[in-house]
Amino acid sequence: MAEIKQVAVIGAGVMGASIAAHIANSGTPVLLLDIVPEGAKNRNAVAEGAVAKMLKTDPAPFMNKRAANLITCGNIEDDMAKLGDCDWIVEAVIERLDIKQNLYRKIDKVRKAGSVVSSNTSTIPLATLIEGMPDAFAGDFIITHFFNPPRYMRLLELVSNGATNDGVVDMVAAFADQKLGKTCVVCHDKPGFIANRLGVYWIQAAMVEAMDRNLTVEEADSVIGRPFGIPKTGVFGLMDLVGLDLMPHVQSSMAGALPKSDPFHAIYRESDLVSKLIADGYTGRKGKGGFYRLNRENGGKVKESVNLQTGEFAKSEKARLESVKAAGKDPRILMQSPDKGGKYGRAVMAKTLAYAAFIAEEAANNIVDVDDAMKLGYNWKTGPFELIDAIGVDALIAMLKEDGINVPPLLERAAGKSFYKVEDGTLHYLAFDGSYQAITRPEGVLLLEDIKRKSDRILGNRSASLWDIGDGAVCLEFHTKMNALDGDVMAIIKSAIRTVKKQYKALVIYNEGSNFSAGANLGLALFAANIAVWPEIENLVETGQSTYKALKYAPFPVVAAPSGLALGGGCEIVLHSDAVQAHGETYIGLVEPGVGLVPAWGGCKEMIRRWAENPKFPKGPMAASAKAFEIISVATVAKSAYEAKETLFLRPDDGITMNRNRLLFDAKKRALAMVEDYQPPEEMTYRLPGESARVAFEMAVDSFYRLGKATDYDRVVAGELAKVLSGGDTDITTELSEDDMLELERDSFMRLARNPGTLARIETMLLTGKPLRN
């Protein structure tokens, strides 16, 4: 199979430019072309402007700003010949067939034989795009439908047809999977493909039913949220996020493309309210607001929502529906509840799930692809067919019949069954022919969820578990809320060290939650502080210190495999591991100062060590401590694994995996490669500058305070951090052991833990999720 080594993107709008940025994130050179603006002195102004804008955009399209250097900007008048060097050419121009086909004819004149050309369209069928084009072009042409923003959305829909050459889809899929971190779903050439076909129906149904049933937007979003495993934005919050001005265009396009027999037409209608909101500038979060807005009158930031009947805004009121409270995460309970929330949830989701069954055979190869499309394209935690199983196939059929909704043939064939089942430890899905087929993973994919179906855990408790992942490697998994760390986690880490030492070769620390670990359990810490059981808090600190030290010096390789948040104590686990295989989307940092504390599970000593051992960094007792202070004092968080290497949260030779599903396999492979002749690291002795450095650090904070960039309590916290990183009462002639450093961390932590300023910060973080600037 040919390999993609260079890519071109034509169209430097928001989507095209972001696709180019994410391809650059993979380390692949990208040519970005757009038109020459009329009368422009800089003929590449559009593409160059797009890159410059992305370097300032938040959330960032680039994982590291240096990735922008891999983008070569040009224009379609001067630089088309450069397409001859590209293996994949992505078209991302305006959704007009004449413009696209005119561009394709120009591309075909200069592209090399066998290069893939694809369109990012979401509205024009592939058959229409290639109509009238040469057979050779049609054979190399597919649709690659990225979801916005391309860096963060893991779904890539691929569309081909009978004219497509063998190997074209496989070549792009392999690159997108391993280099871009995408889950590729092959779709049939039907309107909306899979995710948007179902997603647009779902949004339309939710909006229409909420208006007809006189619900508030808060009530609707609370129902179409947690009970169905859908993000807490619900539907109206999602429309604000995506953009209200986009929705009428997408919905009308879908209505125009689908046959009149499609159930979409039964729920489709234009909304006068949405039209008015758009006309008034309420296009969502990118505008003045949408269904929700922030009213900043009188200096306040009052959240308001629109009345779906009158169009007037009023203060947003939290929804309090008994059905939502009673259901928790159980969709069946909600759909059977008699209040207006239950009736609304049933009306929306029964129709949506029936529509999923209606389109599945037409749009997809199997139900797994439909579930993956909605989970990765719309961030549903549970796919539609997984939801049907949670409700019960027969229960849903009964609801549909009772409500006068046609039962799709696929759902009828599933009566008395489930769409998924486990046989001999392997997950199977119900195929369209009525048989069950085993779900097979691609080579290089290892999922803990599959391990759990086939085996029992080696050991564990309510907070953590140890699993045998084969070949002498084991996996330590956290499973608390946000994977917060507590005494039970520490107990399992210690037990795991003893177990691996006796029976196994290597340890991988990994989980399949949204986050690796958000750090220590602050709720427990606040509770202990409020009842003044200071010995318990100090014991937890000491336990964490001894546990992490034992992990660091264990007689076998330890590889951390973080993804999502790895903050505070989660970051400190990474710092104490022999090696790291991180997911590209890892957000890592020592954030303790944000809650009024200092890192006390060895984070301070490890950051000094990393900078002191960095061969490219200045030597001497001051440099490493100063750099650690610079990073920790402002609670720096690296916003990708690539950024983490700049702060040395990750070492230069630590690995990065772009596809989340490949992370455990890569981490296991890395750990086993270290087994032969493994020797734990040597303990470090520290020579730190002492009082002079502490004063210098505090003076730096004072300068920020005078500029209004640091608060009164920031100075208190930074003062304690300065004591630790300077070495306390020491000087460069004195050697400090790691235990000496841990004692400094512990003493400063406990002084801060007793301070009301810290308790206020912890309480605010727990209540609001935001830091208190006291």
Side-chain angles (χ1 to χ4, degrees):
M1 185 168 59
E3 187 178 352
I4 294 174
K5 296 181 179 179
Q6 185 163 332
V7 180
V9 177
I10 304 178
V14 172
M15 198 65 188
S18 297
I19 291 170
H22 191 51
I23 293 169
N25 288 335
S26 74
T28 306
V30 190
L31 176 67
L32 179 62
L33 305 182
D34 209 301
I35 62 171
V36 177
E38 186 175 348
K41 294 181 180 179
N42 178 4
R43 295 174 66 80
N44 301 335
V46 175
E48 290 179 2
V51 173
K53 183 177 181 180
M54 288 192 296
L55 286 168
K56 301 175 183 177
T57 300
D58 186 25
F62 291 110
M63 288 181 162
N64 185 296
K65 290 186 177 181
R66 287 199 300 271
N69 297 330
L70 288 170
I71 298 180
T72 299
C73 295
N75 66 79
I76 58 174
E77 293 184 21
D78 305 328
D79 301 303
M80 291 295 284
K82 295 179 181 178
L83 297 179
D85 297 325
C86 298
D87 306 297
W88 177 22
I89 302 163
V90 182
E91 168 268 302
V93 302
I94 190 171
E95 293 286 83
R96 270 182 50 184
L97 181 61
D98 58 333
I99 292 175
K100 290 178 184 290
Q101 289 197 327
N102 182 51
L103 178 61
Y104 298 160
R105 284 186 280 271
K106 293 178 180 178
I107 292 171
D108 202 31
K109 290 179 180 178
V110 296
R111 75 184 184 96
K112 65 182 179 182
S115 62
V116 178
V117 182
S118 72
S119 174
N120 186 55
T121 186
S122 60
T123 60
I124 305 176
L126 184 147
T128 304
L129 291 171
I130 60 174
E131 190 174 349
M133 296 299 297
D135 290 346
F137 180 88
D140 291 332
F141 185 88
I142 60 174
I143 289 173
T144 50
H145 181 215
F146 288 83
F147 281 69
N148 193 30
R151 170 184 164 184
Y152 301 95
M153 299 301 290
R154 292 170 56 193
L155 177 64
L156 179 64
E157 291 182 322
L158 302 176
V159 183
S160 63
N161 67 8
T164 310
N165 292 329
D166 293 341
V168 171
V169 169
D170 289 343
M171 182 172 76
V172 173
F175 178 85
D177 170 355
Q178 298 182 38
K179 296 289 188 178
L180 304 183
K182 301 299 179 187
T183 293
C184 297
V185 171
V186 176
C187 309
H188 299 166
D189 191 17
K190 299 295 180 180
F193 312 133
I194 298 175
N196 280 347
R197 174 85 174 271
L198 182 55
V200 170
Y201 181 98
W202 165 63
I203 289 172
Q204 179 72 19
M207 184 170 66
V208 167
E209 291 289 350
M211 291 177 175
D212 289 350
R213 293 172 182 274
N214 199 26
L215 268 74
T216 67
V217 294
E218 292 88 353
E219 288 172 336
D221 284 346
S222 72
V223 172
I224 310 299
R226 185 169 180 260
F228 295 101
I230 290 169
K232 62 182 179 180
T233 56
V235 173
F236 291 100
L238 176 63
M239 283 191 277
D240 281 359
L241 183 63
V242 173
L244 268 65
D245 52 336
L246 179 64
M247 295 312 298
H249 168 70
V250 172
Q251 289 164 336
S252 63
S253 295
M254 199 69 73
L258 293 171
K260 294 301 180 183
S261 59
D262 193 283
F264 180 79
H265 293 286
I267 63 168
Y268 174 66
R269 69 175 187 235
E270 296 181 359
S271 168
D272 293 336
L273 173 61
V274 172
S275 298
K276 182 178 186 303
L277 287 170
I278 295 170
D280 292 343
Y282 289 101
T283 55
R285 294 188 188 182
K286 63 185 178 183
K288 298 189 296 184
F291 291 101
Y292 297 95
R293 75 177 184 184
L294 289 177
N295 188 340
R296 292 183 171 85
E297 291 182 6
N298 302 320
K301 288 188 178 182
V302 178
K303 185 177 182 180
E304 296 183 337
S305 59
V306 72
N307 184 298
L308 296 176
Q309 279 66 49
T310 67
E312 300 296 323
F313 281 93
K315 184 179 178 182
S316 182
E317 300 290 343
K318 184 176 181 179
R320 301 185 186 279
L321 294 169
E322 187 58 36
S323 54
V324 175
K325 181 180 178 181
K329 296 182 179 180
D330 191 322
R332 183 171 179 172
I333 291 176
L334 187 134
M335 294 174 77
Q336 293 177 338
S337 296
D339 73 353
K340 64 178 180 178
K343 292 177 180 178
Y344 171 68
R346 174 165 166 166
V348 174
M349 294 308 295
K351 287 190 184 80
T352 299
L353 297 177
Y355 193 64
F358 174 81
I359 70 167
E361 294 176 85
E362 177 186 345
N365 290 333
N366 52 62
I367 64 165
V368 180
D369 286 348
V370 178
D371 281 348
D372 283 347
M374 290 308 291
K375 288 189 287 187
L376 299 173
Y378 279 78
N379 283 333
W380 287 21
K381 291 183 179 179
T382 308
F385 291 97
E386 293 169 335
L387 264 176
I388 293 173
D389 278 356
I391 295 163
V393 173
D394 292 346
L396 178 61
I397 290 174
M399 290 181 199
L400 294 174
K401 289 180 176 178
E402 186 177 329
D403 296 344
I405 300 171
N406 289 333
V407 180
L410 176 60
L411 202 53
E412 288 182 333
R413 294 200 298 271
K417 305 177 184 177
S418 61
F419 281 102
Y420 293 93
K421 70 175 183 177
V422 177
E423 284 186 0
D424 299 324
T426 299
L427 185 63
H428 291 66
Y429 69 91
L430 185 66
F432 296 142
D433 64 4
S435 66
Y436 281 98
Q437 302 291 326
I439 293 178
T440 57
R441 307 297 183 191
E443 184 179 354
V445 171
L446 177 64
L447 300 181
L448 199 55
E449 66 175 84
D450 291 340
I451 300 289
K452 292 177 180 180
R453 291 190 190 98
K454 293 177 180 291
S455 60
D456 296 325
R457 64 184 182 181
I458 300 168
L459 55 88
N461 56 29
R462 63 181 181 178
S463 296
S465 298
L466 192 68
W467 300 91
D468 186 338
I469 56 175
D471 303 310
V474 295
C475 175
L476 176 65
E477 173 203 25
F478 312 137
H479 39 72
T480 56
K481 183 178 180 180
M482 294 288 285
N483 287 322
L485 304 169
D486 56 22
D488 285 342
V489 170
M490 297 303 165
I492 294 300
I493 294 176
K494 287 186 172 181
S495 296
I497 293 170
R498 292 191 296 269
T499 300
V500 177
K501 183 178 178 180
K502 293 177 181 178
Q503 303 175 40
Y504 298 94
K505 298 177 182 177
L507 174 65
V508 173
I509 305 174
Y510 162 93
N511 65 72
E512 286 168 3
S514 300
N515 300 296
F516 179 73
S517 174
N521 189 324
L522 291 178
L524 289 177
L526 182 63
F527 175 77
N530 282 335
I531 61 174
V533 286
W534 306 113
E536 289 298 319
I537 297 177
E538 187 161 9
N539 179 64
L540 180 59
V541 175
E542 289 179 339
T543 299
Q545 290 180 340
S546 63
T547 303
Y548 283 17
K549 186 178 179 184
L551 196 67
K552 182 179 179 69
Y553 296 110
F556 50 80
V558 176
V559 173
S563 64
L565 300 179
L567 304 178
C571 175
E572 287 171 302
I573 287 180
V574 173
L575 293 174
H576 284 80
S577 298
D578 291 301
V580 180
Q581 188 69 35
H583 183 226
E585 297 298 347
T586 297
Y587 313 102
I588 183 170
L590 295 169
V591 296
E592 287 86 349
V595 290
L597 297 167
V598 298
W601 284 342
C604 295
K605 73 175 177 65
E606 289 302 314
M607 286 304 292
I608 292 175
R609 177 172 186 162
R610 291 197 171 198
W611 284 99
E613 292 178 345
N614 184 355
K616 298 181 180 180
F617 197 67
K619 301 303 176 186
M622 184 68 171
S625 291
K627 190 65 178 178
F629 185 81
E630 174 190 324
I631 293 168
I632 300 171
S633 63
V634 294
T636 300
V637 174
K639 295 183 179 179
S640 74
Y642 292 96
E643 280 192 11
K645 291 194 173 189
E646 295 180 352
T647 53
L648 292 190
F649 292 134
L650 299 185
R651 304 176 187 86
D653 58 349
D654 282 332
I656 297 174
T657 297
M658 292 294 279
N659 192 317
R660 180 68 175 77
N661 289 345
R662 295 181 176 274
L663 183 57
L664 180 57
F665 180 92
D666 290 348
K668 173 186 170 181
K669 182 178 178 180
R670 189 178 191 90
L672 291 175
M674 299 170 65
V675 169
E676 189 174 354
D677 301 323
Y678 174 78
Q679 293 293 325
E682 295 183 1
E683 288 205 33
M684 181 176 177
T685 56
Y686 295 77
R687 292 183 181 271
L688 299 181
E691 182 68 13
S692 60
R694 184 187 64 78
V695 172
F697 298 159
E698 291 180 351
M699 288 176 62
V701 174
D702 286 344
S703 67
F704 278 95
Y705 177 77
R706 288 192 294 273
L707 292 170
K709 296 181 179 180
T711 67
D712 288 326
Y713 202 65
D714 287 337
R715 297 169 76 189
V716 175
V717 177
E720 290 294 345
L721 181 64
K723 291 176 185 175
V724 176
L725 295 175
S726 65
D729 297 328
T730 190
D731 57 52
I732 59 173
T733 65
T734 304
E735 286 190 349
L736 298 177
S737 67
E738 289 198 21
D739 288 339
D740 292 330
M741 293 299 300
L742 291 173
E743 184 178 356
L744 286 169
E745 290 184 9
R746 188 168 63 249
D747 289 347
S748 284
F749 182 98
M750 291 307 300
R751 281 193 292 271
L752 289 168
R754 289 180 168 88
N755 194 308
T758 289
L759 300 182
R761 285 195 173 190
I762 293 175
E763 186 171 13
T764 299
M765 179 62 71
L766 290 172
L767 289 174
T768 69
K770 298 177 181 178
L772 174 66
R773 305 295 294 142
N774 56 339

